[in-house]
């Protein structure tokens, strides 16, 4: 333990905060003379003196005001940490300060207890999409149809930030219409599963490109020597219709190469507005032909597109030698097979859910030109069948038992549609759409206090599966097995973590907690970072998610967040990090050399990319990232009128030098003492996560004799990197390794911050003052076993904060 204190050490004391810390006095003069604040704060904050903008004359004790509550909490923390009163003024003795903090803390605790259970929480976009797809057996991309969810301290599932508007309701209707349309069978028989076999020789582009861009071999394979932009690896004849899940098989081998050749298996379409997609990456070994297979959802009218990743060659050599005589390595493709669509259940789960109790028959075709099949829905007792269907769907949609009376409004809608002349199927779909615009579906049913069995099942499922409870969870909730049985809650936690749906938890939690969702917000400057490519982007995201998953699966100690002896790598990441002996695109655990800078989140390319702007790095931005995401201690925003510090991309001046001038300002010094050190430590890594000893620049500096993809690099090497710093506690470090060790040694702080992130994501609410003792207990309970990551998660789920609203 090195006493790390990454606090916001600014001199600002918000006005309302101090006022809460005392009982309301008979007059402000009495408070200044007779209270804790009057005794220790009046000299600097009264009689016209308002250092840091705080004036005792303006104090009001109103904890029901959220802004004032937040201010009181800041004052409590500053006095509790010893930051205030400052050392050069009168300071209270330990007993006096303790009584003051107990009184203040008691009032803060009571007020937060009163308000924390009042906020409603709705499904966010991801949860809405997952729920509808899981319920109806569809695989539609609905998230992009809905308005972007607001965030509260990184997370977009916090109820207080999730408003609702008419736009939401309109798009909810559109989304459920699409889901019903996709779930309902279009044919009377199971869709025929077909296998398509295509190759580049017989493709439309074959005669045009073979001999010029592609090389045809005697075995009918076509060789790509490098990704050339044009022509692409688009393969006509693999266009998909209808959309769905398909098996993709690619057969080929590495040509004229001693090493494996990695390639992208993607998709492209001529549809207007369509974008390229990536199904995955694979590699071929030299020698005999091999087949790689993967399964993926392919949208309508998309075709397969293959791209070799960077092969050690340049287009100049190919043009000089000619495609037939070129002796460099290449990717040989024999053929591509598509098998599908793969249908697990016919009719679909949603079709059966909707029409059970009805009879749906295909009508005879009117003529030989009619392609579409029409159906007629009938029932002996339409009203009863509709009510049963609505009740059946509502129990799943509302995620709790549903009384018959709750269905009446939707049944009335169905009957009104029938009275107006709508067909039976159309009327039923309209009533079902109403269910999915109901607050009972859109919002979580959580009453204030201890959660009941179904609310606990919902909370657990949306935490670890990001969707509605499955059959087992629902059955246990129906039997009342959760509210009074922590053992069942823990058993289901472990089961859900082992399910394939837990990948959603890893994805969504990492995207929010680590800000991975913004990784494509900026594009790296190609002149400064010519080694950047989409394969690296794809790999870096997989690395971080795989690493966090392994922390949970292996129940590793919390210090592995920032320091470990292994990394989750593939060939692209290993090359980027300068690590030998890794081939192929599969992400797996790789033991690191003892002196490696890699290992832990802070040296992962995804983290270093999201904490930079694509062109350069800023110690301020990265320092704030570490404080917020890893230490759970976000700094206060800069005072009004204080401009940010921008790097000099010419390389003439380092940001450290600019920050030294910036920190000379009294209003900036305190916060930057905490923010800058972690940012300085991360200066050893560039904007895409590569190690550096010198900054790259587009202006001054030393020329670099290096080619990437056959082109000489344009950047120059500027000033040396200085990754040293001094923490607010006074502990200094010389480089990233020493900083990482200091951070890893403070296991308690890491565990506390991690628990707070997990609890926020799990409960869908911001933690507050009354949650602090709960977090402290969780961390203390897990300290005996080394603060292990899965232990922390399990204790989060067993905690009062998770089981109560």
């Amino acid at each position: 333990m090195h006493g790390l204190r990454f606090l916001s050490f600014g001199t600002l004391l918000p006005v309302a905060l101090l006022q809460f810390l005392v009982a309301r006095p008979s007059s402000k003069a009495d408070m200044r003379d007779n209270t804790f604040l009057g005794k220790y704060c009046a000299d600097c904050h009264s009689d016209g003196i308002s250092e840091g903008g705080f004036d005792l004359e303006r104090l009001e004790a109103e904890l029901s005001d959220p802004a004032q509550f937040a201010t009181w909490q800041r004052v409590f923390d500053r006095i509790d940490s010893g930051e205030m009163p400052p050392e050069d003024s009168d300071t209270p003795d330990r007993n006096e300060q303790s009584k003051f903090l107990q009184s203040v803390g008691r009032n803060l605790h009571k007020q937060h207890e009163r308000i924390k259970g009042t906020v409603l929480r709705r499904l966010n976009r991801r949860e809405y999409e997952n729920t509808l797809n899981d319920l109806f057996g569809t695989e539609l991309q609905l998230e992009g149809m809905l308005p972007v969810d607001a965030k509260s301290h990184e997370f977009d599932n916090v109820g207080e930030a999730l408003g609702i508007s008419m736009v939401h309701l309109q798009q909810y209707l559109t989304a459920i219409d699409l889901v019903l349309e996709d779930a309902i069978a279009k044919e009377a028989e199971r869709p025929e599963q077909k296998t398509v076999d295509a190759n580049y020789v017989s493709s439309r582009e074959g005669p045009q490109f073979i001999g010029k861009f592609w090389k045809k071999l005697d075995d009918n394979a076509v060789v790509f020597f490098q990704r050339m932009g044009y022509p692409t690896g688009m393969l006509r004849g693999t266009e998909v219709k209808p959309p769905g899940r398909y098996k993709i098989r690619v057969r080929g081998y590495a040509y004229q190469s001693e090493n494996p050749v990695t390639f992208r298996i993607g998709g492209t379409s001529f549809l207007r507005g369509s974008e390229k997609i990536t199904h995955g990456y694979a590699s071929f070994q030299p020698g005999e032909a091999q087949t790689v297979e993967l399964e993926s959802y392919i949208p309508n009218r998309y075709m397969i597109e293959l791209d070799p990743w960077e092969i050690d060659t340049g287009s100049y050599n190919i043009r000089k030698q000619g495609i037939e005589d070129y002796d460099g390595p290449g990717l040989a493709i024999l053929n591509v097979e598509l098998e599908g669509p793969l249908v697990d259940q016919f009719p679909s789960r949603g079709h059966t859910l909707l029409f059970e109790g009805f009879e749906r028959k295909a009508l005879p075709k009117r003529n030989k030109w009619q392609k579409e099949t029409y159906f007629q829905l009938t029932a002996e007792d339409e009203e009863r069948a509709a009510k049963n269907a609505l009740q059946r769907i509502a129990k799943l949609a509302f995620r709790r038992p549903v009384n018959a009376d709750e269905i009446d409004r939707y049944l009335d809608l169905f009957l009104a549609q029938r009275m107006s002349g709508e067909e039976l199927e159309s009327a039923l779909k309209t009533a079902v759409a109403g269910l999915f615009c109901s607050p009972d579906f859109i919002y979580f049913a959580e009453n204030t206090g201890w959660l009941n069995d179904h609310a606990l099942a919902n909370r657990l499922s949306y935490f670890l599966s990001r969707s509605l409870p499955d059959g087992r969870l629902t059955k246990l909730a129906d039997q009342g097995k959760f509210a009074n049985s922590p053992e069942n809650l823990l058993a289901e936690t472990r089961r859900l973590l082992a399910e394939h749906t837990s990948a959603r938890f890893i994805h969504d939690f990492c995207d929010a907690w680590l800000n991975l969702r913004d990784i494509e917000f900026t594009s790296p400057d190609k002149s400064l970072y010519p080694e950047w490519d989409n394969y690296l982007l794809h790999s870096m995201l997989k690395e971080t998610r795989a690493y966090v998953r392994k922390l949970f699966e292996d129940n590793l100690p919390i210090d592995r967040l920032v320091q470990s002896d292994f990394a989750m790598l593939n060939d692209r990441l290993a090359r980027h990090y300068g690590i030998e002996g890794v081939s192929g695109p599969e992400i797996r655990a790789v033991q690191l050399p003892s002196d490696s800078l890699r290992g832990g989140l802070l040296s992962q390319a995804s983290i270093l990319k999201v904490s930079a702007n694509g062109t350069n790095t800023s110690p301020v931005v990265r320092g704030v990232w570490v404080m917020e995401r890893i230490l759970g201690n976000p700094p206060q925003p800069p005072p009004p009128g204080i401009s940010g510090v921008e790097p000099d991309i010419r390389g003439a001046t380092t940001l450290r030098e600019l920050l030294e001038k910036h920190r000379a300002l009294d209003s900036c010094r305190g916060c930057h003492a905490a923010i800058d050190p972690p940012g300085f430590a991360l200066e050893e890594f560039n904007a895409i996560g590569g190690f550096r000893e010198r900054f790259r620049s587009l202006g001054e500096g030393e020329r670099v004799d290096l080619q990437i993809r056959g082109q000489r690099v344009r950047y120059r090497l500027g000033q040396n990197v200085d990754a040293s710093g001094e923490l607010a506690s006074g502990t200094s470090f010389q480089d990233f390794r020493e900083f990482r060790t200091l951070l890893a040694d403070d296991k308690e702080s890491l565990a506390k911050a991690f628990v707070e992130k997990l609890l926020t994501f799990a409960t869908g609410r911001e933690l507050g003052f009354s949650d602090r003792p709960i977090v402290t207990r969780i961390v203390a309970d897990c300290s005996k076993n080394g603060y292990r990551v899965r232990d922390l998660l399990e204790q989060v789920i067993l905690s009062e904060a998770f089981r109560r609203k």
Side-chain angles (χ1 to χ4, degrees), residues 36-340:
F36 184 96
L37 295 180
K39 184 176 180 180
Y40 297 107
C41 304
D43 287 348
C44 299
H45 303 287
S46 65
D47 295 330
I49 303 173
S50 55
E51 289 190 12
F54 172 66
D55 186 356
L56 285 173
E57 304 290 339
R58 299 167 55 192
L59 293 179
E60 295 180 3
E62 291 295 338
L63 287 182
S64 59
D65 182 337
Q68 293 212 17
F69 184 96
T71 307
W72 297 101
Q73 186 170 292
R74 280 187 63 203
V75 169
F76 177 93
D77 291 340
R78 290 183 175 216
I79 294 176
D80 186 37
S81 69
E83 181 183 353
M84 289 291 168
E87 294 180 358
D88 58 356
S89 64
D90 291 339
T91 55
D93 60 40
R94 182 173 300 179
N95 184 55
E96 188 177 11
Q97 179 172 314
S98 177
K99 288 182 178 179
F100 175 71
L101 290 175
Q102 286 177 10
S103 174
V104 171
R106 185 164 50 247
N107 290 330
L108 284 170
H109 188 100
K110 288 179 180 178
Q111 176 62 18
H112 185 253
E113 281 283 356
R114 283 195 290 268
I115 63 174
K116 71 179 181 181
T118 61
V119 177
L120 289 175
R121 174 189 168 195
R122 69 161 170 85
L123 299 176
N124 71 6
R125 299 191 305 165
R126 294 274 295 180
E127 293 163 339
Y128 186 91
E129 175 185 300
N130 292 340
T131 302
L132 286 182
N133 281 333
D134 289 351
L135 206 159
F136 286 96
T138 54
E139 295 186 64
L140 297 175
Q141 296 180 357
L142 307 174
E143 180 181 357
M145 298 172 51
L146 303 176
V148 175
D149 296 311
K151 296 189 287 290
S152 177
H153 288 264
E154 303 126 38
F155 294 98
D156 62 359
N157 68 331
V158 174
E160 193 169 6
L162 296 177
I164 196 166
S165 66
M166 286 302 299
V167 176
H168 282 90
L169 294 176
Q170 291 167 354
Q171 293 305 103
Y172 288 154
L173 283 170
T174 301
I176 187 59
D177 284 348
L178 288 175
V179 169
L180 293 176
E181 178 69 17
D182 194 65
I184 294 172
K186 309 296 187 300
E187 301 293 339
E189 303 294 332
R190 177 187 287 266
E192 181 183 359
Q193 186 171 304
K194 299 179 180 179
T195 299
V196 172
D197 190 335
N199 63 74
Y200 288 99
V201 173
S202 58
S203 70
R204 177 175 167 181
E205 287 78 16
Q208 181 181 358
F209 299 140
I210 289 174
K212 185 176 182 181
F213 299 104
W214 303 341
K215 181 177 181 179
K216 179 178 175 295
L217 304 180
D218 292 342
D219 59 2
N220 227 32
V222 164
V223 181
F224 302 97
F225 286 104
Q226 66 178 138
R227 186 179 181 188
M228 305 177 79
Y230 177 83
T232 69
M234 174 183 67
L235 180 55
R236 293 183 196 251
T238 59
E239 189 176 47
V240 160
K241 190 177 182 182
R245 283 187 301 111
Y246 287 79
K247 286 184 179 178
I248 306 170
R249 301 186 187 95
V250 183
R251 188 164 172 262
Y253 51 90
Y255 176 68
Q256 294 181 166
S257 175
E258 297 180 355
N259 302 308
V261 173
T262 296
F263 60 98
R264 166 182 165 268
I265 303 174
T268 188
S269 174
F270 291 121
L271 292 176
R272 179 176 296 179
S274 62
E275 298 180 352
K276 291 181 182 291
I277 58 176
T278 296
H279 301 298
Y281 284 82
S283 65
F284 282 143
Q285 300 287 333
E288 298 295 323
Q290 306 124 57
T291 299
V292 296
E293 178 180 296
L294 57 83
E295 188 176 305
S296 184
Y297 182 87
I298 304 181
N300 194 40
R301 307 290 296 276
Y302 267 73
M303 67 191 81
I304 297 299
E305 180 181 66
L306 303 181
D307 288 312
W309 177 51
E310 180 181 348
I311 300 174
D312 293 329
T313 183
S315 59
Y316 172 78
N317 293 327
I318 292 178
R319 287 196 298 268
K320 183 176 180 180
Q321 293 181 234
I323 198 77
E324 294 298 327
D325 296 328
Y326 182 70
D327 58 2
L331 172 69
I333 301 296
L334 285 159
N335 68 306
V336 174
E337 283 186 0
L338 281 183
E339 181 183 344

Side-chain angles (χ1 to χ4, degrees), residues 583-596:
S583 62
E586 301 82 15
I587 297 286
R588 68 278 203 182
V590 174
Q591 193 72 23
L592 295 171
S594 58
D595 62 346
S596 177

Side-chain angles (χ1 to χ4, degrees), residues 275-484:
E275 298 180 352
K276 291 181 182 291
I277 58 176
T278 296
H279 301 298
Y281 284 82
S283 65
F284 282 143
Q285 300 287 333
E288 298 295 323
Q290 306 124 57
T291 299
V292 296
E293 178 180 296
L294 57 83
E295 188 176 305
S296 184
Y297 182 87
I298 304 181
N300 194 40
R301 307 290 296 276
Y302 267 73
M303 67 191 81
I304 297 299
E305 180 181 66
L306 303 181
D307 288 312
W309 177 51
E310 180 181 348
I311 300 174
D312 293 329
T313 183
S315 59
Y316 172 78
N317 293 327
I318 292 178
R319 287 196 298 268
K320 183 176 180 180
Q321 293 181 234
I323 198 77
E324 294 298 327
D325 296 328
Y326 182 70
D327 58 2
L331 172 69
I333 301 296
L334 285 159
N335 68 306
V336 174
E337 283 186 0
L338 281 183
E339 181 183 344
L342 307 176
V343 179
D344 295 331
Q345 180 180 338
F346 183 84
S348 72
R349 181 164 62 251
H351 181 106
T352 304
L353 184 66
L354 191 65
F355 295 132
E356 185 179 344
F358 294 90
E359 186 175 5
R360 190 172 187 262
K361 289 185 176 180
L363 297 175
K365 292 190 175 182
R366 299 168 186 171
N367 52 59
K368 64 180 180 180
W369 296 284
Q370 179 183 326
K371 294 184 178 180
E372 186 177 357
T373 303
Y374 295 96
F375 294 86
Q376 183 178 44
L377 192 68
T378 60
E380 291 185 7
D381 185 336
E382 287 187 7
E383 183 174 343
R384 177 178 293 276
K387 185 169 185 177
N388 289 341
L390 290 168
Q391 182 135 12
R392 182 170 61 244
I393 296 170
K395 184 179 188 298
L396 295 172
F398 297 172
R399 309 173 292 276
R400 59 173 174 78
V402 176
N403 298 324
D405 293 346
E406 294 182 80
I407 302 302
D408 287 346
R409 72 182 72 177
Y410 307 104
L411 183 61
D412 289 345
L413 177 59
F414 165 79
L415 295 173
Q417 290 284 299
R418 289 294 282 151
M419 289 288 290
S420 68
E422 284 290 329
E423 295 288 341
L424 176 57
E425 183 170 322
S426 176
L428 180 62
K429 287 162 64 177
T430 298
V432 169
L435 281 172
F436 289 94
C437 290
S438 164
D440 294 289
F441 170 70
I442 296 170
Y443 286 89
F444 289 82
E446 296 179 341
N447 294 324
T448 301
W450 291 100
L451 299 181
N452 63 32
D453 292 278
H454 287 94
L456 278 172
N458 288 331
R459 185 170 277 195
L460 183 65
S461 185
Y462 278 96
F463 178 31
L464 298 180
S465 299
R466 309 297 294 128
S467 186
L468 78 168
D470 61 13
R472 178 174 173 80
L473 279 176
T474 300
K475 181 179 179 181
L476 289 171
D478 289 342
Q479 296 172 349
K481 297 291 188 180
F482 286 133
N484 297 310

Side-chain angles (χ1 to χ4, degrees), residues 685-725:
F685 305 100
N686 64 31
I688 62 171
F691 171 74
R692 65 185 176 192
E693 293 178 329
R694 297 169 67 180
F695 293 100
R696 295 181 183 182
S697 79
L698 296 177
E700 301 178 11
E702 177 186 340
R703 290 186 180 274
V704 181
D705 185 16
L706 177 67
Q707 288 193 355
I708 295 178
R709 299 186 180 94
Q711 301 294 322
R712 182 172 179 174
V713 301
R714 295 174 56 190
Y715 65 80
R716 300 188 179 196
L717 293 180
Q719 298 193 26
N720 292 329
V721 170
D722 180 359
S724 65

Side-chain angles (χ1 to χ4, degrees), residues 748-763:
E748 184 177 353
S749 294
L750 293 173
K752 176 179 177 294
F754 189 64
V755 166
E756 289 172 348
K757 302 301 181 186
L758 285 173
L759 264 176
T760 301
F761 188 66
T763 61

Side-chain angles (χ1 to χ4, degrees), residues 633-804:
N633 187 25
Q636 295 300 314
I642 300 297
S643 60
V645 180
E646 295 296 330
D648 174 13
I649 64 171
R650 297 170 302 166
T653 307
T654 66
L655 193 53
R656 178 185 286 267
E657 292 169 335
L658 296 175
L659 281 171
E660 288 297 333
K661 298 178 181 178
H662 189 73
R663 293 170 65 174
L665 300 173
D666 290 340
S667 57
C668 302
R669 185 183 304 111
C671 287
H672 278 277
I675 295 171
D676 295 349
F680 287 145
L682 294 177
E683 286 287 77
E684 289 193 31
F685 305 100
N686 64 31
I688 62 171
F691 171 74
R692 65 185 176 192
E693 293 178 329
R694 297 169 67 180
F695 293 100
R696 295 181 183 182
S697 79
L698 296 177
E700 301 178 11
E702 177 186 340
R703 290 186 180 274
V704 181
D705 185 16
L706 177 67
Q707 288 193 355
I708 295 178
R709 299 186 180 94
Q711 301 294 322
R712 182 172 179 174
V713 301
R714 295 174 56 190
Y715 65 80
R716 300 188 179 196
L717 293 180
Q719 298 193 26
N720 292 329
V721 170
D722 180 359
S724 65
E726 181 178 319
L727 305 178
S729 62
T731 305
S732 62
F733 57 87
Q734 294 304 309
D735 53 23
F736 173 73
R737 284 188 183 87
E738 290 189 8
F739 170 76
R740 182 177 61 179
T741 300
L742 292 173
L743 205 58
D745 285 348
D746 194 0
K747 298 179 179 63
E748 184 177 353
S749 294
L750 293 173
K752 176 179 177 294
F754 189 64
V755 166
E756 289 172 348
K757 302 301 181 186
L758 285 173
L759 264 176
T760 301
F761 188 66
T763 61
R765 70 172 177 83
E766 276 295 326
L767 301 189
F769 199 87
S770 66
D771 297 307
R772 292 181 176 188
I774 298 172
V775 172
T776 299
R777 283 196 297 272
I778 292 172
V779 172
D781 288 344
C782 293
S783 65
K784 304 161 190 174
N785 196 31
Y787 305 100
R788 294 183 177 271
V789 171
R790 192 174 64 243
D791 291 349
L792 292 167
L793 181 141
E794 291 178 356
Q795 289 305 309
V796 159
I797 289 171
L798 295 178
S799 71
E800 179 183 342
F802 183 85
R803 298 167 65 195
R804 285 193 65 171

Side-chain angles (χ1 to χ4, degrees), residues 583-610:
S583 62
E586 301 82 15
I587 297 286
R588 68 278 203 182
V590 174
Q591 193 72 23
L592 295 171
S594 58
D595 62 346
S596 177
L597 285 173
R598 308 298 170 172
L601 292 173
L602 296 183
S603 59
Q604 292 179 7
S606 66
I607 303 304
L608 297 159
K609 169 72 171 65
V610 298

